[in-house]
Amino acid sequence: MIFHSFLIKYGEIGIKGKNRYLFEDALVSQLTFSLKPVEGEFEITKEQGRIYVNAKGEYDYDEAMEAMTRVFGVVGVCPMVQVEDQGFEQLSKDVLAYLEQVYPDKNKTFKVNSRRARKNFPLDSQEINMELGGIILDAYPEMKVDVHQPDIMLNIEIRNMINIYSIILPGPGGMPVGTNGKAMLLLSGGIDSPVAGYMIAKRGVQIDAVYFHAPPYTSERAKQKVIDLAKIVARYSGPIHLKIVNFTDIQLYIYDQCPHEELTIIMRRYMMKIAEHFAGEDRCLGLITGESIGQVASQTMQSLAATNEVCTMPVYRPLIGFDKNEIIAVSEKIGTYETSIQPFEDCCTIFVAKHPVTKPNLNIIKKSETKLQEKIDELMKTAIETTETIVVEA
Ligand code: ATP
Ligand code: MG
Protein backbone atom coordinates (compact mmCIF):
# COMPACT_ATOMS: atom_id res chain seq x y z
CA MET A 1 0.00 0.00 0.00
CA ILE A 2 1.51 3.28 -1.07
CA PHE A 3 -0.79 5.44 1.02
CA HIS A 4 0.31 6.11 4.56
CA SER A 5 -1.32 9.44 5.14
CA PHE A 6 -4.70 10.96 4.56
CA LEU A 7 -5.92 14.48 4.20
CA ILE A 8 -9.26 14.99 5.89
CA LYS A 9 -11.44 17.56 4.15
CA TYR A 10 -14.14 19.19 6.21
CA GLY A 11 -16.79 21.74 5.44
CA GLU A 12 -19.19 24.04 7.26
CA ILE A 13 -17.48 27.15 5.98
CA GLY A 14 -19.33 29.32 8.47
CA ILE A 15 -17.30 27.95 11.35
CA LYS A 16 -14.80 30.54 12.39
CA GLY A 17 -12.67 31.63 15.30
CA LYS A 18 -13.05 29.76 18.54
CA ASN A 19 -15.75 27.49 17.12
CA ARG A 20 -13.37 26.36 14.45
CA TYR A 21 -11.02 24.92 17.08
CA LEU A 22 -13.90 23.19 18.84
CA PHE A 23 -15.01 21.76 15.52
CA GLU A 24 -11.52 20.54 14.65
CA ASP A 25 -10.86 19.10 18.10
CA ALA A 26 -14.17 17.23 18.04
CA LEU A 27 -13.35 15.97 14.57
CA VAL A 28 -9.98 14.68 15.77
CA SER A 29 -11.57 12.83 18.69
CA GLN A 30 -14.30 11.34 16.51
CA LEU A 31 -11.72 10.16 13.97
CA THR A 32 -9.70 8.63 16.81
CA PHE A 33 -12.79 6.87 18.10
CA SER A 34 -13.77 5.61 14.67
CA LEU A 35 -10.26 4.31 13.87
CA LYS A 36 -9.82 2.59 17.24
CA PRO A 37 -11.09 -0.85 16.14
CA VAL A 38 -9.23 -0.71 12.80
CA GLU A 39 -6.15 -2.85 12.41
CA GLY A 40 -3.06 -0.62 12.50
CA GLU A 41 -1.78 2.39 14.41
CA PHE A 42 -2.89 5.88 13.47
CA GLU A 43 -1.73 9.33 14.43
CA ILE A 44 -3.96 12.31 13.85
CA THR A 45 -2.47 15.77 13.56
CA LYS A 46 -3.77 19.28 13.09
CA GLU A 47 -1.52 21.44 11.01
CA GLN A 48 -2.12 24.84 9.41
CA GLY A 49 -5.89 24.48 9.42
CA ARG A 50 -5.82 20.94 8.11
CA ILE A 51 -6.26 17.52 9.62
CA TYR A 52 -4.05 14.63 8.64
CA VAL A 53 -4.25 10.98 9.59
CA ASN A 54 -0.97 9.10 9.41
CA ALA A 55 -0.79 5.33 9.49
CA LYS A 56 2.27 4.02 11.24
CA GLY A 57 3.33 0.77 9.68
CA GLU A 58 0.92 -1.81 8.32
CA TYR A 59 -2.80 -1.21 8.45
CA ASP A 60 -6.05 -2.25 6.79
CA TYR A 61 -6.68 0.35 4.06
CA ASP A 62 -10.31 -0.53 3.32
CA GLU A 63 -11.30 -0.62 6.96
CA ALA A 64 -9.47 2.63 7.68
CA MET A 65 -11.16 4.38 4.75
CA GLU A 66 -14.55 3.07 5.82
CA ALA A 67 -13.96 4.28 9.38
CA MET A 68 -12.86 7.77 8.34
CA THR A 69 -15.56 8.34 5.72
CA ARG A 70 -18.21 7.54 8.32
CA VAL A 71 -17.28 10.38 10.69
CA PHE A 72 -19.69 13.32 10.75
CA GLY A 73 -17.99 16.55 9.75
CA VAL A 74 -15.81 14.79 7.18
CA VAL A 75 -16.56 15.95 3.65
CA GLY A 76 -13.88 13.86 2.00
CA VAL A 77 -10.86 11.70 2.70
CA CYS A 78 -7.88 11.93 0.36
CA PRO A 79 -5.28 9.18 0.57
CA MET A 80 -1.94 10.87 -0.09
CA VAL A 81 1.66 10.17 -0.72
CA GLN A 82 3.79 12.51 1.36
CA VAL A 83 7.35 13.11 0.29
CA GLU A 84 10.22 15.23 1.59
CA ASP A 85 11.17 18.27 -0.43
CA GLN A 86 14.31 17.19 -2.25
CA GLY A 87 14.00 19.56 -5.16
CA PHE A 88 11.88 19.59 -8.27
CA GLU A 89 13.64 16.78 -10.06
CA GLN A 90 12.98 14.35 -7.24
CA LEU A 91 9.39 15.60 -7.03
CA SER A 92 8.80 14.81 -10.68
CA LYS A 93 10.13 11.27 -10.11
CA ASP A 94 7.84 10.88 -7.12
CA VAL A 95 4.87 12.06 -9.17
CA LEU A 96 5.57 9.57 -11.95
CA ALA A 97 5.96 6.80 -9.37
CA TYR A 98 2.62 7.84 -7.89
CA LEU A 99 0.85 7.65 -11.26
CA GLU A 100 2.53 4.34 -12.00
CA GLN A 101 1.13 2.76 -8.88
CA VAL A 102 -2.27 4.38 -8.59
CA TYR A 103 -3.26 4.30 -12.28
CA PRO A 104 -2.08 1.12 -13.98
CA ASP A 105 -4.31 2.10 -16.93
CA LYS A 106 -2.88 5.32 -18.33
CA ASN A 107 -5.62 5.92 -20.84
CA LYS A 108 -6.84 8.92 -18.88
CA THR A 109 -7.04 12.69 -18.95
CA PHE A 110 -5.42 14.69 -16.18
CA LYS A 111 -4.73 18.11 -14.80
CA VAL A 112 -1.97 19.13 -12.43
CA ASN A 113 -3.29 21.34 -9.68
CA SER A 114 -0.47 22.54 -7.49
CA ARG A 115 -0.40 24.85 -4.51
CA ARG A 116 2.72 26.39 -3.15
CA ALA A 117 1.91 27.05 0.51
CA ARG A 118 5.63 27.39 1.28
CA LYS A 119 7.02 30.23 -0.75
CA ASN A 120 10.69 29.22 -0.71
CA PHE A 121 10.07 26.44 -3.19
CA PRO A 122 11.87 27.59 -6.36
CA LEU A 123 8.93 27.20 -8.75
CA ASP A 124 5.57 28.89 -8.33
CA SER A 125 2.36 26.92 -8.72
CA GLN A 126 1.86 27.86 -12.36
CA GLU A 127 5.39 26.73 -13.20
CA ILE A 128 4.94 23.47 -11.30
CA ASN A 129 1.72 22.75 -13.23
CA MET A 130 3.41 23.42 -16.58
CA GLU A 131 6.62 21.54 -15.85
CA LEU A 132 4.99 18.51 -14.31
CA GLY A 133 2.34 18.39 -17.02
CA GLY A 134 5.08 18.23 -19.65
CA ILE A 135 7.02 15.54 -17.77
CA ILE A 136 3.89 13.40 -17.42
CA LEU A 137 3.03 13.75 -21.13
CA ASP A 138 6.58 12.74 -22.06
CA ALA A 139 6.51 9.72 -19.76
CA TYR A 140 2.99 8.57 -20.69
CA PRO A 141 2.02 9.54 -24.24
CA GLU A 142 -1.43 7.90 -23.76
CA MET A 143 -2.34 10.48 -21.16
CA LYS A 144 -3.95 13.75 -22.21
CA VAL A 145 -4.50 17.06 -20.48
CA ASP A 146 -8.06 18.18 -19.76
CA VAL A 147 -8.27 21.29 -17.64
CA HIS A 148 -12.07 21.25 -17.35
CA GLN A 149 -13.11 17.70 -16.48
CA PRO A 150 -10.00 15.61 -15.99
CA ASP A 151 -10.25 11.95 -14.99
CA ILE A 152 -7.33 12.58 -12.66
CA MET A 153 -7.03 15.82 -10.73
CA LEU A 154 -3.47 15.53 -9.55
CA ASN A 155 -3.03 17.73 -6.49
CA ILE A 156 0.46 18.73 -5.48
CA GLU A 157 0.75 20.73 -2.28
CA ILE A 158 4.07 22.19 -1.29
CA ARG A 159 3.99 22.45 2.48
CA ASN A 160 6.57 21.36 5.06
CA MET A 161 6.30 18.06 3.28
CA ILE A 162 4.91 17.71 -0.23
CA ASN A 163 1.48 16.10 -0.53
CA ILE A 164 0.53 14.25 -3.68
CA TYR A 165 -3.08 13.11 -4.02
CA SER A 166 -5.77 12.59 -6.60
CA ILE A 167 -8.38 10.39 -4.94
CA ILE A 168 -11.15 11.75 -2.78
CA LEU A 169 -13.70 9.53 -1.08
CA PRO A 170 -16.76 11.41 0.11
CA GLY A 171 -17.67 11.54 3.79
CA PRO A 172 -21.14 12.18 5.23
CA GLY A 173 -20.67 15.91 5.87
CA GLY A 174 -22.50 17.33 8.86
CA MET A 175 -20.71 18.27 12.07
CA PRO A 176 -18.58 16.21 14.45
CA VAL A 177 -20.49 14.74 17.38
CA GLY A 178 -19.77 16.76 20.49
CA THR A 179 -20.06 20.19 18.89
CA ASN A 180 -23.78 20.65 19.53
CA GLY A 181 -24.81 19.35 22.93
CA LYS A 182 -26.78 16.22 23.67
CA ALA A 183 -30.31 14.95 23.04
CA MET A 184 -32.41 11.98 24.16
CA LEU A 185 -33.60 9.66 21.40
CA LEU A 186 -36.78 7.63 21.90
CA LEU A 187 -35.49 4.47 20.32
CA SER A 188 -37.88 1.70 19.40
CA GLY A 189 -37.21 -1.39 17.37
CA GLY A 190 -38.69 0.14 14.21
CA ILE A 191 -37.20 1.56 11.06
CA ASP A 192 -37.68 5.23 11.84
CA SER A 193 -36.18 6.05 15.21
CA PRO A 194 -32.62 4.80 14.48
CA VAL A 195 -32.65 6.95 11.33
CA ALA A 196 -33.88 9.94 13.36
CA GLY A 197 -31.02 9.45 15.83
CA TYR A 198 -28.51 9.22 13.01
CA MET A 199 -29.76 12.43 11.44
CA ILE A 200 -29.55 14.49 14.61
CA ALA A 201 -26.14 13.02 15.49
CA LYS A 202 -25.03 14.13 12.02
CA ARG A 203 -25.54 17.71 13.14
CA GLY A 204 -22.97 17.24 15.89
CA VAL A 205 -25.37 16.23 18.65
CA GLN A 206 -24.39 13.53 21.12
CA ILE A 207 -27.12 10.92 21.60
CA ASP A 208 -28.54 9.18 24.64
CA ALA A 209 -31.48 6.85 24.17
CA VAL A 210 -34.50 5.48 25.98
CA TYR A 211 -36.44 2.33 25.13
CA PHE A 212 -39.80 1.38 26.62
CA HIS A 213 -39.93 -2.31 27.20
CA ALA A 214 -43.10 -4.19 28.18
CA PRO A 215 -42.23 -7.69 29.36
CA PRO A 216 -43.68 -10.27 29.06
CA TYR A 217 -45.65 -8.70 26.18
CA THR A 218 -42.41 -7.74 24.52
CA SER A 219 -39.69 -10.37 24.61
CA GLU A 220 -36.02 -10.30 25.51
CA ARG A 221 -35.33 -10.61 21.80
CA ALA A 222 -37.27 -7.42 21.10
CA LYS A 223 -35.06 -5.69 23.67
CA GLN A 224 -31.93 -7.21 22.15
CA LYS A 225 -33.02 -5.86 18.77
CA VAL A 226 -33.11 -2.33 20.19
CA ILE A 227 -29.65 -2.82 21.71
CA ASP A 228 -28.42 -4.05 18.32
CA LEU A 229 -29.89 -0.96 16.65
CA ALA A 230 -28.25 1.31 19.23
CA LYS A 231 -24.98 -0.44 18.48
CA ILE A 232 -25.28 0.39 14.78
CA VAL A 233 -26.20 4.03 15.48
CA ALA A 234 -23.22 4.19 17.87
CA ARG A 235 -20.89 3.49 14.96
CA TYR A 236 -21.69 7.03 13.86
CA SER A 237 -22.65 8.79 17.05
CA GLY A 238 -20.17 7.32 19.52
CA PRO A 239 -21.23 5.42 22.67
CA ILE A 240 -24.91 5.67 23.58
CA HIS A 241 -26.25 5.48 27.13
CA LEU A 242 -29.38 3.42 26.57
CA LYS A 243 -32.06 3.46 29.23
CA ILE A 244 -34.44 0.54 29.30
CA VAL A 245 -37.66 1.43 31.04
CA ASN A 246 -40.05 -1.27 32.19
CA PHE A 247 -43.29 0.17 30.90
CA THR A 248 -45.60 -2.82 31.44
CA ASP A 249 -47.43 -1.65 34.55
CA ILE A 250 -48.09 1.81 33.17
CA GLN A 251 -49.35 0.33 29.95
CA LEU A 252 -51.65 -2.15 31.72
CA TYR A 253 -52.98 0.57 33.97
CA ILE A 254 -53.83 2.81 31.01
CA TYR A 255 -55.41 -0.19 29.31
CA ASP A 256 -57.59 -0.84 32.34
CA GLN A 257 -58.63 2.75 32.98
CA CYS A 258 -58.86 4.57 29.65
CA PRO A 259 -60.84 4.15 26.42
CA HIS A 260 -58.95 1.77 24.21
CA GLU A 261 -59.04 3.98 21.15
CA GLU A 262 -57.09 6.59 23.13
CA LEU A 263 -54.57 4.12 24.48
CA THR A 264 -51.77 4.80 22.02
CA ILE A 265 -51.92 8.56 22.45
CA ILE A 266 -52.02 8.39 26.24
CA MET A 267 -49.22 5.87 26.30
CA ARG A 268 -47.13 8.05 24.01
CA ARG A 269 -47.71 11.00 26.33
CA TYR A 270 -46.33 9.01 29.26
CA MET A 271 -43.38 7.87 27.20
CA MET A 272 -42.56 11.48 26.39
CA LYS A 273 -42.87 12.48 30.05
CA ILE A 274 -40.51 9.76 31.20
CA ALA A 275 -38.09 10.46 28.35
CA GLU A 276 -38.09 14.12 29.29
CA HIS A 277 -37.36 13.24 32.91
CA PHE A 278 -34.26 11.28 31.88
CA ALA A 279 -33.27 13.93 29.37
CA GLY A 280 -33.22 16.49 32.20
CA GLU A 281 -31.14 14.18 34.37
CA ASP A 282 -28.63 13.61 31.57
CA ARG A 283 -28.40 17.29 30.66
CA CYS A 284 -29.93 16.77 27.26
CA LEU A 285 -31.24 19.79 25.40
CA GLY A 286 -34.05 18.05 23.57
CA LEU A 287 -35.86 14.84 22.69
CA ILE A 288 -35.72 13.04 19.32
CA THR A 289 -38.40 10.83 17.82
CA GLY A 290 -38.84 9.06 14.50
CA GLU A 291 -42.28 10.55 13.86
CA SER A 292 -43.42 11.61 10.41
CA ILE A 293 -46.69 13.42 9.69
CA GLY A 294 -49.53 11.09 8.87
CA GLN A 295 -47.54 7.87 8.94
CA VAL A 296 -49.88 6.19 11.44
CA ALA A 297 -52.87 7.27 13.55
CA SER A 298 -50.59 8.41 16.36
CA GLN A 299 -48.71 10.71 13.99
CA THR A 300 -51.46 12.87 12.54
CA MET A 301 -51.06 16.58 13.22
CA GLN A 302 -53.65 16.31 16.01
CA SER A 303 -51.93 13.29 17.55
CA LEU A 304 -48.51 14.93 17.36
CA ALA A 305 -49.92 18.03 19.04
CA ALA A 306 -51.41 15.90 21.82
CA THR A 307 -48.14 14.02 22.33
CA ASN A 308 -46.08 17.16 22.21
CA GLU A 309 -48.20 18.91 24.78
CA VAL A 310 -46.64 17.08 27.74
CA CYS A 311 -43.11 18.26 26.91
CA THR A 312 -41.43 21.52 27.72
CA MET A 313 -38.19 20.54 26.02
CA PRO A 314 -37.95 20.88 22.26
CA VAL A 315 -38.81 17.66 20.46
CA TYR A 316 -36.77 17.10 17.32
CA ARG A 317 -38.47 15.08 14.61
CA PRO A 318 -36.00 14.99 11.75
CA LEU A 319 -38.19 12.65 9.66
CA ILE A 320 -41.28 14.79 9.90
CA GLY A 321 -41.54 15.44 6.16
CA PHE A 322 -40.12 12.15 4.92
CA ASP A 323 -42.05 9.43 3.14
CA LYS A 324 -41.50 5.89 4.37
CA ASN A 325 -39.47 4.93 1.28
CA GLU A 326 -37.13 7.86 1.89
CA ILE A 327 -36.64 6.75 5.49
CA ILE A 328 -35.98 3.19 4.34
CA ALA A 329 -33.35 4.44 1.89
CA VAL A 330 -31.45 6.12 4.75
CA SER A 331 -31.81 3.08 7.00
CA GLU A 332 -30.35 0.90 4.27
CA LYS A 333 -27.49 3.30 3.78
CA ILE A 334 -26.60 3.42 7.48
CA GLY A 335 -27.10 -0.32 7.97
CA THR A 336 -30.03 -0.41 10.41
CA TYR A 337 -32.68 -1.68 7.98
CA GLU A 338 -31.98 -5.41 8.21
CA THR A 339 -32.14 -5.29 11.99
CA SER A 340 -35.22 -3.05 12.07
CA ILE A 341 -37.30 -5.42 9.97
CA GLN A 342 -36.71 -8.41 12.22
CA PRO A 343 -40.21 -9.40 13.29
CA PHE A 344 -40.30 -8.80 17.02
CA GLU A 345 -43.29 -7.34 18.75
CA ASP A 346 -43.26 -3.71 19.72
CA CYS A 347 -44.86 -2.42 22.89
CA CYS A 348 -46.96 0.03 20.89
CA THR A 349 -48.49 -2.62 18.69
CA ILE A 350 -49.52 -5.06 21.39
CA PHE A 351 -52.27 -3.07 22.96
CA VAL A 352 -53.39 -1.09 19.93
CA ALA A 353 -57.08 -0.63 19.38
CA LYS A 354 -58.74 -1.64 16.13
CA HIS A 355 -59.83 1.93 15.55
CA PRO A 356 -57.50 4.32 17.34
CA VAL A 357 -58.47 7.99 17.40
CA THR A 358 -56.81 9.84 14.55
CA LYS A 359 -57.89 13.32 15.65
CA PRO A 360 -57.57 13.25 19.40
CA ASN A 361 -59.11 16.15 21.25
CA LEU A 362 -56.73 17.27 23.94
CA ASN A 363 -59.49 18.04 26.46
CA ILE A 364 -60.94 14.58 26.07
CA ILE A 365 -57.52 12.96 26.40
CA LYS A 366 -56.82 14.96 29.54
CA LYS A 367 -60.16 13.98 30.95
CA SER A 368 -59.42 10.31 30.32
CA GLU A 369 -56.08 10.74 32.04
CA THR A 370 -57.79 11.89 35.22
CA LYS A 371 -58.84 8.26 35.60
CA LEU A 372 -55.17 7.45 36.15
CA GLN A 373 -54.85 9.79 39.13
CA GLU A 374 -54.78 7.15 41.80
CA LYS A 375 -51.72 5.20 40.79
CA ILE A 376 -49.94 6.85 37.91
CA ASP A 377 -47.45 8.91 39.91
CA GLU A 378 -46.38 5.87 41.86
CA LEU A 379 -46.10 3.77 38.69
CA MET A 380 -44.03 6.47 36.97
CA LYS A 381 -41.75 6.69 39.98
CA THR A 382 -41.24 2.93 40.01
CA ALA A 383 -40.62 2.84 36.26
CA ILE A 384 -37.98 5.54 36.62
CA GLU A 385 -36.34 3.94 39.64
CA THR A 386 -36.14 0.49 38.07
CA THR A 387 -34.75 1.72 34.75
CA GLU A 388 -31.62 -0.05 33.66
CA THR A 389 -28.91 1.91 31.84
CA ILE A 390 -26.44 0.24 29.53
CA VAL A 391 -23.62 1.83 27.62
CA VAL A 392 -23.79 0.68 24.03
CA GLU A 393 -20.65 0.92 21.94
CA ALA A 394 -20.17 0.05 18.31
P1 ATP B 1 -40.30 3.43 14.61
O1 ATP B 1 -39.96 2.83 13.31
O2 ATP B 1 -39.30 4.40 15.04
O3 ATP B 1 -40.65 2.41 15.65
P2 ATP B 1 -43.08 3.82 14.17
O4 ATP B 1 -43.50 4.20 12.84
O5 ATP B 1 -43.26 2.44 14.63
O6 ATP B 1 -41.58 4.28 14.35
P3 ATP B 1 -44.54 4.74 16.49
O7 ATP B 1 -44.56 3.39 17.05
O8 ATP B 1 -45.78 5.52 16.34
O9 ATP B 1 -43.80 4.85 15.10
O10 ATP B 1 -43.58 5.61 17.36
C1 ATP B 1 -43.23 6.90 17.00
C2 ATP B 1 -41.94 7.25 17.70
O11 ATP B 1 -42.09 7.09 19.10
C3 ATP B 1 -40.80 6.33 17.32
O12 ATP B 1 -40.15 6.76 16.15
C4 ATP B 1 -39.93 6.41 18.54
O13 ATP B 1 -39.14 7.60 18.51
C5 ATP B 1 -40.93 6.52 19.66
N1 ATP B 1 -41.26 5.20 20.22
C6 ATP B 1 -42.27 4.38 19.90
N2 ATP B 1 -42.25 3.24 20.63
C7 ATP B 1 -41.18 3.34 21.43
C8 ATP B 1 -40.59 2.48 22.43
N3 ATP B 1 -41.10 1.30 22.71
N4 ATP B 1 -39.50 2.92 23.06
C9 ATP B 1 -38.95 4.12 22.76
N5 ATP B 1 -39.45 4.95 21.84
C10 ATP B 1 -40.55 4.58 21.18
MG1 MG C 1 -42.38 1.70 16.49
Side-chain angles (χ1 to χ4, degrees):
M1 174 51 56
I2 69 160
F3 299 121
H4 289 280
S5 28
F6 304 86
L7 169 65
I8 306 296
K9 299 214 162 184
Y10 49 94
E12 299 287 344
I13 303 296
I15 297 163
K16 298 204 184 85
K18 185 164 155 265
N19 287 337
R20 186 179 178 96
Y21 291 104
L22 293 176
F23 185 101
E24 288 170 343
D25 288 346
L27 195 52
V28 169
S29 49
Q30 292 307 312
L31 283 163
T32 309
F33 169 79
S34 191
L35 283 164
K36 214 162 72 182
V38 177
E39 202 187 304
E41 199 187 324
F42 301 93
E43 185 189 53
I44 304 176
T45 53
K46 281 200 320 181
E47 194 186 302
Q48 298 170 320
R50 310 198 111 196
I51 293 175
Y52 296 111
V53 175
N54 297 300
K56 296 174 156 180
E58 292 303 304
Y59 71 102
D60 187 317
Y61 175 82
D62 293 333
E63 265 187 38
M65 279 308 249
E66 198 275 324
M68 290 183 281
T69 51
R70 169 167 26 98
V71 173
F72 295 139
V74 172
V75 169
V77 178
C78 309
M80 327 184 283
V81 167
Q82 260 188 335
V83 295
E84 304 260 358
D85 178 6
Q86 294 175 325
F88 183 75
E89 204 184 316
Q90 183 58 42
L91 173 63
S92 56
K93 284 184 190 153
D94 293 333
V95 167
L96 292 181
Y98 175 93
L99 291 172
E100 195 56 48
Q101 289 216 36
V102 181
Y103 301 100
D105 173 11
K106 299 289 180 308
N107 221 329
K108 294 206 157 39
T109 58
F110 75 100
K111 174 184 176 180
V112 181
N113 178 39
S114 64
R115 251 179 83 188
R116 188 177 62 155
R118 180 164 51 75
K119 299 296 174 207
N120 64 359
F121 194 77
L123 281 72
D124 70 19
S125 54
Q126 202 49 42
E127 290 165 338
I128 300 171
N129 291 346
M130 299 283 293
E131 292 289 325
L132 275 181
I135 289 167
I136 293 169
L137 288 172
D138 286 346
Y140 304 116
E142 321 87 288
M143 293 185 78
K144 289 189 183 61
V145 172
D146 180 346
V147 290
H148 301 295
Q149 279 200 313
D151 299 326
I152 304 170
M153 175 68 89
L154 185 63
N155 296 285
I156 312 287
E157 292 183 349
I158 316 285
R159 293 176 178 267
N160 291 336
M161 300 276 281
I162 300 176
N163 301 333
I164 305 170
Y165 64 92
S166 58
I167 299 172
I168 173 160
L169 267 78
M175 305 182 78
V177 170
T179 51
N180 269 322
K182 187 159 62 164
M184 179 67 75
L185 169 67
L186 283 88
L187 181 63
S188 70
I191 295 169
D192 307 329
S193 47
V195 172
Y198 170 90
M199 289 181 66
I200 297 295
K202 187 172 172 211
R203 297 308 304 163
V205 179
Q206 195 188 332
I207 303 288
D208 275 349
V210 55
Y211 165 58
F212 295 91
H213 186 41
Y217 304 100
T218 54
S219 63
E220 276 305 299
R221 296 189 63 188
K223 169 173 149 186
Q224 187 56 46
K225 177 183 169 184
V226 173
I227 297 172
D228 292 343
L229 286 170
K231 234 179 150 88
I232 302 171
V233 177
R235 283 162 57 82
Y236 308 93
S237 69
I240 295 176
H241 290 235
L242 172 65
K243 298 197 181 285
I244 298 168
V245 182
N246 185 328
F247 201 55
T248 314
D249 291 343
I250 294 177
Q251 221 167 355
L252 288 176
Y253 188 49
I254 301 171
Y255 191 76
D256 284 344
Q257 303 295 320
C258 301
H260 289 180
E261 64 274 15
E262 292 169 12
L263 180 86
T264 306
I265 291 294
I266 296 176
M267 205 177 71
R268 306 243 341 106
R269 282 163 59 90
Y270 281 97
M271 281 188 185
M272 298 301 270
K273 277 190 205 181
I274 294 174
E276 188 171 67
H277 168 86
F278 286 125
E281 262 186 16
D282 284 4
R283 283 183 287 167
C284 292
L285 299 170
L287 302 176
I288 307 165
T289 75
E291 290 159 315
S292 150
I293 294 172
Q295 198 189 75
V296 285
S298 58
Q299 297 176 29
T300 61
M301 291 288 274
Q302 293 84 352
S303 298
L304 288 167
T307 311
N308 199 68
E309 196 260 349
V310 298
C311 298
T312 50
M313 258 186 205
V315 181
Y316 297 107
R317 299 177 172 92
L319 308 181
I320 201 70
F322 277 44
D323 291 346
K324 195 76 187 187
N325 57 357
E326 294 170 310
I327 302 171
I328 289 173
V330 184
S331 79
E332 284 176 332
K333 189 186 82 184
I334 67 175
T336 50
Y337 184 70
E338 289 302 319
T339 306
S340 288
I341 59 171
Q342 287 171 11
F344 297 120
E345 63 298 318
D346 171 324
C347 80
C348 294
T349 49
I350 294 211
F351 297 87
V352 285
K354 279 208 182 64
H355 301 289
V357 282
T358 52
K359 294 183 181 160
N361 175 312
L362 194 52
N363 293 326
I364 297 175
I365 296 289
K366 284 185 170 175
K367 196 156 164 242
S368 301
E369 284 178 352
T370 60
K371 298 183 190 124
L372 302 171
Q373 259 164 10
E374 195 188 330
K375 287 203 233 156
I376 195 70
D377 289 347
E378 193 55 37
L379 291 177
M380 293 255 288
K381 191 163 166 265
T382 309
I384 287 167
E385 280 168 4
T386 58
T387 290
E388 171 197 4
T389 303
I390 53 178
V391 180
V392 182
E393 288 190 49

